[in-house]
Amino acid sequence: MKYIIHYDIAAIILTAIILIHYYHKKTIKQPQSHVFTKLMWLSLFTDVLDIVTVAVDEYRLPSLAVNLVNVVYLILFNTAPFLYYMYLLTLEKRRELWTRKDKLILYVPVSCAVALIATSPLTKLIFYYNPADGYCHGKGFFLLYIAAVAYMAGTVGITYIYRAQMTIWQRSSVYMYLLASAVGILTQVFFPNVLMLQFAISMSLLVLYMSLENPDEDEDQILGVYNRRGFEKVVSAAIEEDERFYLLVVTARNFQIVRETAGVSFCQMMMKQAMDHLKVNVKPSLLFSISEGRFAVMVDGSREAEEVTEILQQEFDRPIVSHGMNIQINISILQIGYPEDVASIEDVMDSIDYAAVFQTEGTDDRVLHGSGELLNKMRYENRIQQAMQQALDNGTFQVYYQPIYSTEEKRYNSAEALIRLIDEELGFVSPDVFIPMAEKNGMILKIGEFVFRTVCEMMARERIWEKGIDYIEVNLSIVQCMQEDICEMLYGIMDEYDIPYSCINLEVTETVIARDILWNIMERMTVGGVTFSLDDYGTGYSNLMNVLKYPFHIVKLDKSVVWYAMENERAMCALRYTVAMMQDLNKHIVAEGVETREQSDILEELGCHYLQGYHFSKPVPEQEFLRKLT
Ligand code: C2E
Ligand code: MG
Ligand code: MG
């Protein structure tokens, strides 16, 4: 038979090019990369051996040589589908889940095939050779394909089972491989002299390489270091091998401003310069560009971590000169140690993303330790976010009421509505914890509306004004105030329950005033009869101008001010004058945080109109609050 070997030559060239590219580029050692490399080398040897089998047959070499070459060739040929199947298993990281028995089963088809092939020169089952006829297929030649078909079926099975976890690229490359093998085998059956199978397999390996193993995808082409994807791979591999390491994640805190003032190309130049300097001290393969203005360095131990931290600080200590501008980059460094701080790649990525908040806006610390504590805090916050979402979905947020005592009328004349989150798992979560989070993620809008609706519904149902309650105080967050339709929302709900507008008092803090968004809201709400309180007076940026300029009906003295006055003469003096001044300005005063009889007496004597605090009542559920009124 005259064999056509051109396809085999093309396959050799193709496989060799892929191998050269692969070894030339930095490659991250991952479990699947090992299998991939084996698969590539195997393919190359099989290509070469395919030609050798033709040659030994053509030149009618001694039967020992022909038998040997064919045995080796057929074994290699049968190992490829097995390795491909193994590759998929490692890719899906399911291998460790396999029991020993499963693993044994995995090797059965390939072992049977090897046994049949190796004994074939004697049994003549798969192939035989005699100098007269040359190389011939045996009666059981088809058995050769059984192992290959079994692994291909396994490949289809794995792809189907884990289809949800696989990307479209991964799935496509598997289908491509199966298709190429099927076409190759069919060609072999119908045109036995056209040796195209190896070429088809090389083509599918090329697709696999381009889609899954391409080192370019792990690299930041401008900076010449690994990117975030590469970072995740390197760190995962180190964790898998259980190698100790330290990560230093460097964030340019003022990156946003620098980019706006100096431009994108300056930022790239700056990053490149920093990387180039670092490459003197750190292996380039251990530098990673994670995102804009953020990169990471991997070192072995804590001593190296301190050294590199020092180098990094020096590097960014002096301003960089560009276009006549002196630009100072402020960096902060997050240190994460494996295994003491983190246990998995997810932990690492979570710490980095979480610390980003602190690194760009939070503390002044330049070096941050990504300890388990940080991670726990983050997990706790995530858990609270979930709890908030659940409470919103299931309507399990509660509104408590804290009665407010009128010193003139000697009774409760109002109350403050306070939201309560009681989660099955977390228990009571303080609003001081979850309200700021809800303000950040926007949930406060729904929470605020829920509180307002609950209050209005209760007032209408109980006709609360007939029970001596003149108004209920509802806290309004700055984020709510920033909504254009906030007034429509408030009026809409009050109208829905048909309650008098004067029964509502809205509490705002000075942050709302600082944003200059209050005028409009106050103007539109006070026309209807809604009144306003200035909450937390005496903390933050308390500004007397705000009390003078805005038509607040009530000023609420923060509990910290009240408590400080009780233990400090000068603070008491300030409180006395503040109360007197507010009276002159015709403002009503609520003193918060009244916890004892003595405090209550002093505050009443000073002239506070209303008192709120545990001495009278803690915030209580609706029914308990209503009972207190009768
Ligand atoms: P705030 O508006 O200043 O509410 C007064 C806080 O002081 C309440 O805390 C109340 O339980 C507490 N308090 C009252 N009297 C005493 C006392 O005698 N001793 C002590 N130790 N504390 C007392 P709470 O309910 O934990 O709320 C904390 C903050 O969360 C509130 O401060 C308010 O800023 C915010 N918040 C609560 N509910 C809502 C809401 O529905 N919407 C919005 N936007 N914020 C809310
Ligand atoms: Mg309040
Ligand atoms: Mg307050």
Side-chain angles (χ1 to χ4, degrees):
M1 197 177 339
K2 187 92 189 117
Y3 288 104
I4 297 176
I5 58 164
H6 304 80
Y7 290 107
D8 270 342
I9 296 172
I12 292 174
I13 296 172
L14 189 61
T15 317
I17 291 175
I18 302 175
L19 270 170
I20 292 168
H21 189 258
Y22 187 65
Y23 279 107
H24 170 68
K25 287 277 174 178
K26 295 187 232 57
T27 44
I28 301 168
K29 291 284 165 276
Q30 285 188 290
Q32 87 248 27
S33 312
H34 293 303
V35 186
F36 180 76
T37 333
K38 279 186 201 144
L39 197 57
M40 292 303 296
W41 280 111
L42 181 92
S43 177
L44 189 67
F45 282 129
T46 320
D47 296 345
V48 174
L49 270 179
D50 204 12
I51 297 177
V52 176
T53 53
V54 172
V56 290
D57 188 28
E58 205 133 289
Y59 293 109
R60 298 288 144 114
L61 291 192
S63 60
L64 180 68
V66 179
N67 278 329
L68 192 68
V69 169
N70 275 295
V71 164
V72 176
Y73 166 73
L74 288 175
I75 288 178
L76 289 186
F77 172 78
N78 254 277
T79 317
F82 166 69
L83 273 186
Y84 195 93
Y85 184 61
M86 288 293 280
Y87 176 81
L88 267 194
L89 284 182
T90 33
L91 190 69
E92 282 308 308
K93 297 209 178 84
R94 307 289 146 172
R95 209 169 45 152
E96 63 267 31
L97 302 179
W98 286 59
T99 60
R100 240 192 143 134
K101 208 172 100 215
D102 291 334
K103 276 187 193 159
L104 274 181
I105 293 175
L106 208 67
Y107 287 94
V108 168
V110 73
S111 313
C112 292
V114 169
L116 288 180
I117 296 165
T119 53
S120 198
L122 300 174
T123 60
K124 303 195 186 324
L125 188 64
I126 304 290
F127 75 92
Y128 59 89
Y129 176 79
N130 58 51
D133 306 326
Y135 167 88
C136 297
H137 288 172
K139 281 201 190 79
F141 188 77
F142 69 94
L143 289 172
L144 193 61
Y145 291 115
I146 290 183
V149 170
Y151 289 116
M152 279 160 82
T155 303
V156 174
I158 286 276
T159 316
Y160 181 76
I161 295 170
Y162 299 120
R163 63 191 180 285
Q165 283 108 303
M166 291 174 82
T167 63
I168 177 95
W169 267 112
Q170 291 177 336
R171 273 180 282 140
S172 311
S173 71
V174 173
Y175 297 140
M176 178 70 195
Y177 158 77
L178 292 171
L179 188 75
S181 309
V183 170
I185 290 173
L186 285 178
T187 323
Q188 198 89 354
V189 170
F190 291 110
F191 308 99
N193 64 327
V194 184
L195 303 181
M196 217 181 78
L197 183 57
Q198 286 307 122
F199 181 67
I201 290 174
S202 301
M203 287 293 284
S204 63
L205 285 180
L206 179 68
V207 174
L208 186 72
Y209 180 63
M210 289 199 328
S211 58
L212 300 179
E213 289 293 326
N214 191 352
D216 285 346
E217 302 241 324
D218 301 327
E219 202 180 289
D220 184 316
Q221 301 296 340
I222 297 173
L223 300 176
V225 296
Y226 285 131
N227 56 20
R228 191 180 172 112
R229 194 179 123 128
F231 175 74
E232 286 188 32
K233 282 190 184 175
V234 172
V235 176
S236 308
I239 292 178
E240 204 142 307
E241 299 284 306
D242 205 20
E243 285 167 13
R244 285 187 78 83
F245 63 80
Y246 263 79
L247 289 170
L248 304 170
V249 183
V250 184
T251 301
R253 306 171 74 150
N254 54 347
F255 187 78
Q256 208 70 4
I257 302 169
V258 172
R259 198 181 46 190
E260 276 161 26
T261 47
V264 176
S265 53
F266 168 80
C267 289
Q268 275 171 358
M269 186 273 289
M270 179 253 322
M271 286 288 274
K272 180 124 187 59
Q273 222 175 48
M275 292 287 165
D276 290 345
H277 284 184
L278 278 169
K279 281 177 188 168
V280 179
N281 298 289
V282 184
K283 259 202 261 158
S285 60
L286 297 174
L287 283 172
F288 311 88
S289 158
I290 294 186
S291 59
E292 275 201 316
R294 169 166 305 146
F295 62 92
V297 186
M298 192 184 214
V299 292
D300 292 338
S302 57
R303 202 167 48 83
E304 288 92 335
E306 292 310 324
E307 277 169 24
V308 178
T309 302
E310 185 78 9
I311 294 170
L312 282 165
Q313 285 180 329
Q314 280 168 9
E315 173 72 30
F316 288 97
D317 225 14
R318 48 199 146 69
I320 301 171
V321 182
S322 159
H323 304 303
M325 282 188 288
N326 269 342
I327 294 170
Q328 177 69 52
I329 313 281
N330 302 325
I331 57 157
S332 98
I333 303 167
L334 169 72
Q335 294 184 345
I336 306 173
Y338 172 82
E340 50 272 49
D341 299 332
V342 286
S344 65
I345 179 69
E346 286 77 23
D347 283 358
V348 173
M349 299 320 282
D350 282 354
S351 308
I352 291 176
D353 290 342
Y354 184 64
V357 181
F358 293 104
Q359 286 186 295
T360 48
E361 62 186 42
T363 61
D364 286 335
D365 295 343
R366 289 189 65 181
V367 180
L368 219 77
H369 293 272
S371 61
E373 212 176 291
L374 182 83
L375 212 61
N376 284 343
K377 204 167 156 222
M378 179 203 75
R379 298 224 165 97
Y380 180 65
E381 283 199 5
N382 280 346
R383 187 61 201 81
I384 291 174
Q385 304 254 18
Q386 272 176 13
M388 282 198 282
Q389 192 58 55
Q390 276 166 6
L392 274 178
D393 294 344
N394 309 336
T396 48
F397 266 120
Q398 294 182 46
V399 177
Y400 276 30
Y401 298 88
Q402 186 174 32
I404 298 174
Y405 181 80
S406 159
T407 52
E408 279 166 18
E409 298 175 46
K410 305 280 182 237
R411 64 179 182 88
Y412 297 134
N413 84 313
S414 61
E416 177 171 4
L418 293 159
I419 182 102
R420 289 292 175 261
L421 172 59
I422 300 158
D423 184 75
E424 273 183 12
E425 207 181 293
L426 298 170
F428 172 82
V429 185
S430 164
D432 280 328
V433 172
F434 72 81
I435 293 283
M437 288 167 59
E439 285 179 331
K440 263 196 198 146
N441 68 17
M443 276 186 200
I444 190 71
L445 297 178
K446 284 198 177 144
I447 294 178
E449 190 174 332
F450 168 81
V451 173
F452 196 69
R453 179 174 290 281
T454 311
V455 169
C456 290
E457 187 275 324
M458 184 279 287
M459 288 174 103
R461 170 166 38 84
E462 299 295 331
R463 302 188 64 79
I464 197 91
W465 47 91
E466 288 173 5
K467 295 183 175 167
I469 293 294
D470 300 334
Y471 52 85
I472 300 269
E473 299 180 0
V474 184
N475 292 285
L476 211 56
S477 147
I478 171 151
V479 181
Q480 286 178 282
C481 294
M482 276 151 55
Q483 302 305 302
E484 253 176 36
D485 57 354
I486 174 77
C487 298
E488 282 76 17
M489 187 274 277
L490 297 171
Y491 274 123
I493 295 177
M494 288 190 290
D495 290 344
E496 190 181 325
Y497 292 100
D498 199 21
I499 58 160
Y501 301 148
S502 61
C503 285
I504 292 290
N505 174 283
L506 297 172
E507 291 191 4
V508 295
T509 60
E510 274 165 319
T511 46
V512 180
I513 302 173
R515 291 290 186 95
D516 219 13
I517 43 181
L518 194 59
W519 268 123
N520 189 319
I521 300 176
M522 267 194 149
E523 221 165 40
R524 292 177 57 193
M525 296 309 298
T526 44
V527 198
V530 172
T531 53
F532 281 82
S533 294
L534 181 58
D535 204 356
D536 301 346
Y537 188 76
T539 61
Y541 332 84
S542 278
N543 185 343
L544 188 55
M545 275 306 269
N546 294 331
V547 182
L548 298 176
K549 260 170 55 185
Y550 290 86
F552 284 111
H553 184 63
I554 294 171
V555 173
K556 296 190 80 168
L557 297 174
D558 192 72
K559 46 186 179 289
S560 59
V561 177
V562 172
W563 293 341
Y564 193 36
M566 297 298 157
E567 60 185 48
N568 182 295
E569 263 302 307
R570 288 153 60 87
M572 178 53 86
C573 176
L575 179 64
R576 188 175 303 119
Y577 282 106
T578 305
V579 174
M581 178 185 69
M582 294 298 174
Q583 282 176 337
D584 279 355
L585 292 172
N586 252 339
K587 304 287 177 193
H588 286 80
I589 301 161
V590 176
E592 270 183 5
V594 186
E595 290 191 340
T596 62
R597 176 72 198 245
E598 190 195 354
Q599 290 173 351
S600 162
D601 290 345
I602 296 173
L603 291 161
E604 187 172 348
E605 196 149 311
L606 285 182
C608 293
H609 306 95
Y610 308 110
L611 305 177
Q612 175 181 0
Y614 293 176
H615 171 60
F616 298 97
S617 166
K618 285 196 169 181
V620 290
E622 183 193 297
Q623 287 308 318
E624 206 175 324
F625 165 63
L626 292 172
R627 273 201 299 277
K628 282 182 192 284
L629 301 181
T630 50

